[in-house]
Amino acid sequence: MSTIDDEPIKTPLTLDDGVDFAVIEHLFFAYRDFTADPDAILAEYGFGRAHHRVLHFVNRLPGLTVAELLDVLRITKQSLARVLKQLIDDGYIVQVPGPRDRRQRELYPTQKGRDLAMELALPQSRRIRAALKEAEPGDVAAVERFLRAMVNPELRPQMDKLPNGRSK
Protein backbone atom coordinates (compact mmCIF):
# COMPACT_ATOMS: atom_id res chain seq x y z
CA MET A 1 0.00 0.00 0.00
CA SER A 2 1.29 3.43 -0.95
CA THR A 3 1.65 6.25 1.56
CA ILE A 4 1.88 9.98 1.01
CA ASP A 5 5.68 9.71 1.50
CA ASP A 6 5.88 7.37 -1.50
CA GLU A 7 4.15 9.71 -3.93
CA PRO A 8 6.39 11.35 -6.53
CA ILE A 9 6.88 15.08 -6.16
CA LYS A 10 6.60 16.68 -9.58
CA THR A 11 7.52 20.26 -8.74
CA PRO A 12 11.14 21.43 -8.54
CA LEU A 13 12.73 23.06 -5.55
CA THR A 14 12.92 26.83 -6.15
CA LEU A 15 14.32 29.99 -4.59
CA ASP A 16 11.00 30.24 -2.77
CA ASP A 17 12.18 27.29 -0.66
CA GLY A 18 14.82 29.59 0.86
CA VAL A 19 17.88 28.07 -0.79
CA ASP A 20 20.11 29.76 -3.37
CA PHE A 21 19.99 26.95 -5.89
CA ALA A 22 21.49 29.11 -8.65
CA VAL A 23 24.81 29.54 -6.83
CA ILE A 24 24.83 25.90 -5.74
CA GLU A 25 24.32 24.80 -9.35
CA HIS A 26 26.94 27.22 -10.65
CA LEU A 27 29.40 25.67 -8.20
CA PHE A 28 28.38 22.12 -9.21
CA PHE A 29 28.77 22.80 -12.93
CA ALA A 30 31.95 24.84 -12.53
CA TYR A 31 33.55 22.13 -10.39
CA ARG A 32 32.50 19.44 -12.87
CA ASP A 33 34.19 21.22 -15.75
CA PHE A 34 37.12 22.53 -13.69
CA THR A 35 38.04 18.95 -12.77
CA ALA A 36 37.25 17.32 -16.14
CA ASP A 37 40.60 17.99 -17.86
CA PRO A 38 42.75 16.92 -14.89
CA ASP A 39 40.53 13.86 -14.37
CA ALA A 40 41.22 12.74 -17.95
CA ILE A 41 44.97 13.25 -17.48
CA LEU A 42 44.94 11.48 -14.10
CA ALA A 43 43.10 8.50 -15.61
CA GLU A 44 46.00 7.98 -18.04
CA TYR A 45 48.28 7.52 -14.99
CA GLY A 46 45.82 5.40 -13.03
CA PHE A 47 45.43 8.24 -10.52
CA GLY A 48 42.39 10.03 -9.09
CA ARG A 49 41.52 13.37 -7.55
CA ALA A 50 43.21 12.52 -4.24
CA HIS A 51 46.50 12.11 -6.13
CA HIS A 52 45.89 15.50 -7.75
CA ARG A 53 45.33 17.23 -4.42
CA VAL A 54 48.43 15.66 -2.88
CA LEU A 55 50.58 16.60 -5.88
CA HIS A 56 49.17 20.13 -5.87
CA PHE A 57 49.92 20.88 -2.23
CA VAL A 58 53.29 19.13 -2.14
CA ASN A 59 54.32 21.23 -5.16
CA ARG A 60 52.93 24.45 -3.68
CA LEU A 61 54.45 23.84 -0.23
CA PRO A 62 57.57 21.67 -0.68
CA GLY A 63 58.67 20.30 2.68
CA LEU A 64 55.09 20.01 3.90
CA THR A 65 54.90 17.30 6.54
CA VAL A 66 52.52 14.38 6.34
CA ALA A 67 50.65 15.78 9.38
CA GLU A 68 50.30 19.21 7.74
CA LEU A 69 49.08 17.60 4.52
CA LEU A 70 46.47 15.62 6.45
CA ASP A 71 45.31 18.87 8.03
CA VAL A 72 45.02 20.63 4.66
CA LEU A 73 43.29 17.79 2.83
CA ARG A 74 40.99 16.77 5.69
CA ILE A 75 41.25 13.10 4.78
CA THR A 76 42.02 10.06 6.89
CA LYS A 77 45.55 8.87 7.46
CA GLN A 78 44.57 5.61 5.77
CA SER A 79 43.34 7.38 2.62
CA LEU A 80 46.47 9.51 2.42
CA ALA A 81 48.76 6.53 3.04
CA ARG A 82 47.47 4.66 -0.01
CA VAL A 83 47.72 7.68 -2.33
CA LEU A 84 51.08 8.83 -0.97
CA LYS A 85 52.58 5.34 -1.23
CA GLN A 86 51.62 5.19 -4.90
CA LEU A 87 53.04 8.64 -5.63
CA ILE A 88 56.28 7.78 -3.81
CA ASP A 89 56.60 4.32 -5.36
CA ASP A 90 56.03 5.78 -8.83
CA GLY A 91 58.64 8.51 -8.28
CA TYR A 92 56.44 11.63 -8.13
CA ILE A 93 57.15 12.51 -4.48
CA VAL A 94 59.98 11.78 -2.05
CA GLN A 95 59.87 11.65 1.74
CA VAL A 96 62.71 13.14 3.75
CA PRO A 97 63.07 12.82 7.54
CA GLY A 98 62.50 16.13 9.28
CA PRO A 99 65.65 18.03 10.31
CA ARG A 100 64.51 18.52 13.93
CA ASP A 101 62.39 15.41 14.42
CA ARG A 102 63.50 12.41 12.39
CA ARG A 103 60.04 10.84 12.86
CA GLN A 104 58.48 13.67 10.90
CA ARG A 105 58.34 13.09 7.18
CA GLU A 106 58.69 16.08 4.87
CA LEU A 107 57.30 15.68 1.38
CA TYR A 108 58.94 17.04 -1.76
CA PRO A 109 58.05 16.68 -5.43
CA THR A 110 60.51 15.13 -7.85
CA GLN A 111 60.89 16.61 -11.32
CA LYS A 112 58.42 13.97 -12.50
CA GLY A 113 55.99 15.14 -9.80
CA ARG A 114 56.50 18.79 -10.70
CA ASP A 115 55.88 18.04 -14.38
CA LEU A 116 52.64 16.19 -13.64
CA ALA A 117 51.42 18.93 -11.29
CA MET A 118 51.96 21.47 -14.07
CA GLU A 119 50.27 19.23 -16.64
CA LEU A 120 47.23 19.10 -14.36
CA ALA A 121 47.24 22.81 -13.46
CA LEU A 122 47.66 24.25 -16.95
CA PRO A 123 44.20 23.35 -18.30
CA GLN A 124 42.64 24.60 -15.08
CA SER A 125 44.58 27.84 -15.35
CA ARG A 126 43.47 28.27 -18.97
CA ARG A 127 39.85 27.73 -17.92
CA ILE A 128 40.18 30.32 -15.14
CA ARG A 129 41.79 32.87 -17.48
CA ALA A 130 39.06 32.34 -20.09
CA ALA A 131 36.34 32.77 -17.47
CA LEU A 132 37.94 35.91 -16.08
CA LYS A 133 38.07 37.43 -19.57
CA GLU A 134 34.27 37.42 -19.42
CA ALA A 135 34.33 39.18 -16.04
CA GLU A 136 34.31 42.88 -15.30
CA PRO A 137 37.31 44.70 -13.82
CA GLY A 138 37.37 44.05 -10.10
CA ASP A 139 35.47 40.77 -10.42
CA VAL A 140 38.61 38.72 -9.73
CA ALA A 141 38.93 40.19 -6.24
CA ALA A 142 35.21 39.60 -5.62
CA VAL A 143 35.48 35.97 -6.76
CA GLU A 144 38.51 35.40 -4.52
CA ARG A 145 36.73 37.00 -1.54
CA PHE A 146 33.65 34.86 -2.19
CA LEU A 147 35.61 31.61 -2.46
CA ARG A 148 37.67 32.45 0.63
CA ALA A 149 34.45 33.17 2.53
CA MET A 150 33.20 29.69 1.53
CA VAL A 151 36.09 28.18 3.55
CA ASN A 152 35.46 27.62 7.26
CA PRO A 153 36.92 30.65 9.10
CA GLU A 154 39.22 28.56 11.28
CA LEU A 155 40.73 26.94 8.16
CA ARG A 156 41.34 30.14 6.16
CA PRO A 157 44.86 30.61 7.59
CA GLN A 158 45.87 27.51 5.59
CA MET A 159 45.26 29.57 2.46
CA ASP A 160 47.60 32.29 3.71
CA LYS A 161 50.53 29.84 3.80
CA LEU A 162 50.46 29.39 0.03
CA PRO A 163 53.14 31.33 -1.86
CA ASN A 164 52.07 34.29 -4.00
CA GLY A 165 48.54 34.00 -2.66
CA ARG A 166 46.22 36.83 -3.50
CA SER A 167 43.56 35.61 -1.09
CA LYS A 168 44.67 37.55 1.98
Side-chain angles (χ1 to χ4, degrees):
M1 177 169 174
S2 176
T3 66
I4 191 127
D5 290 338
D6 295 338
E7 295 298 316
I9 299 173
K10 297 186 177 179
T11 58
L13 291 169
T14 67
L15 292 175
D16 294 335
D17 293 299
V19 176
D20 193 338
F21 290 107
V23 173
I24 290 170
E25 289 155 1
H26 279 82
L27 286 169
F28 279 143
F29 287 117
Y31 182 73
R32 176 198 66 193
D33 293 350
F34 182 71
T35 57
D37 294 324
D39 283 352
I41 295 165
L42 289 161
E44 294 173 18
Y45 292 86
F47 292 160
R49 288 186 186 161
H51 295 86
H52 185 185
R53 290 189 295 271
V54 169
L55 279 168
H56 176 84
F57 285 106
V58 168
N59 273 278
R60 291 288 288 151
L61 298 165
L64 186 72
T65 66
V66 171
E68 290 167 333
L69 184 58
L70 281 167
D71 192 44
V72 167
L73 297 178
R74 296 282 182 201
I75 61 174
T76 66
K77 202 181 261 189
Q78 184 178 357
S79 296
L80 178 60
R82 181 188 58 78
V83 168
L84 195 53
K85 180 178 181 350
Q86 191 174 9
L87 290 169
I88 291 168
D89 289 350
D90 291 352
Y92 294 93
I93 291 176
V94 294
Q95 288 186 111
V96 176
R100 290 174 298 285
D101 183 347
R102 307 290 289 161
R103 293 169 298 172
Q104 264 191 339
R105 293 172 293 153
E106 294 180 347
L107 304 171
Y108 294 91
T110 62
Q111 188 60 54
K112 187 176 174 181
R114 175 66 47 99
D115 292 345
L116 180 54
M118 287 300 295
E119 185 180 353
L120 297 168
L122 286 171
Q124 290 183 314
S125 181
R126 284 192 292 270
R127 182 176 294 278
I128 290 167
R129 275 196 309 273
L132 291 175
K133 282 183 182 175
E134 295 184 27
E136 300 293 325
D139 284 354
V140 174
V143 168
E144 288 180 353
R145 280 193 310 276
F146 168 78
L147 292 172
R148 181 179 178 84
M150 292 285 294
V151 175
N152 290 340
E154 69 276 10
L155 300 177
R156 292 177 193 162
Q158 292 177 332
M159 299 169 73
D160 299 332
K161 293 178 183 176
L162 297 168
N164 303 320
R166 292 188 309 251
S167 348
K168 293 183 178 166

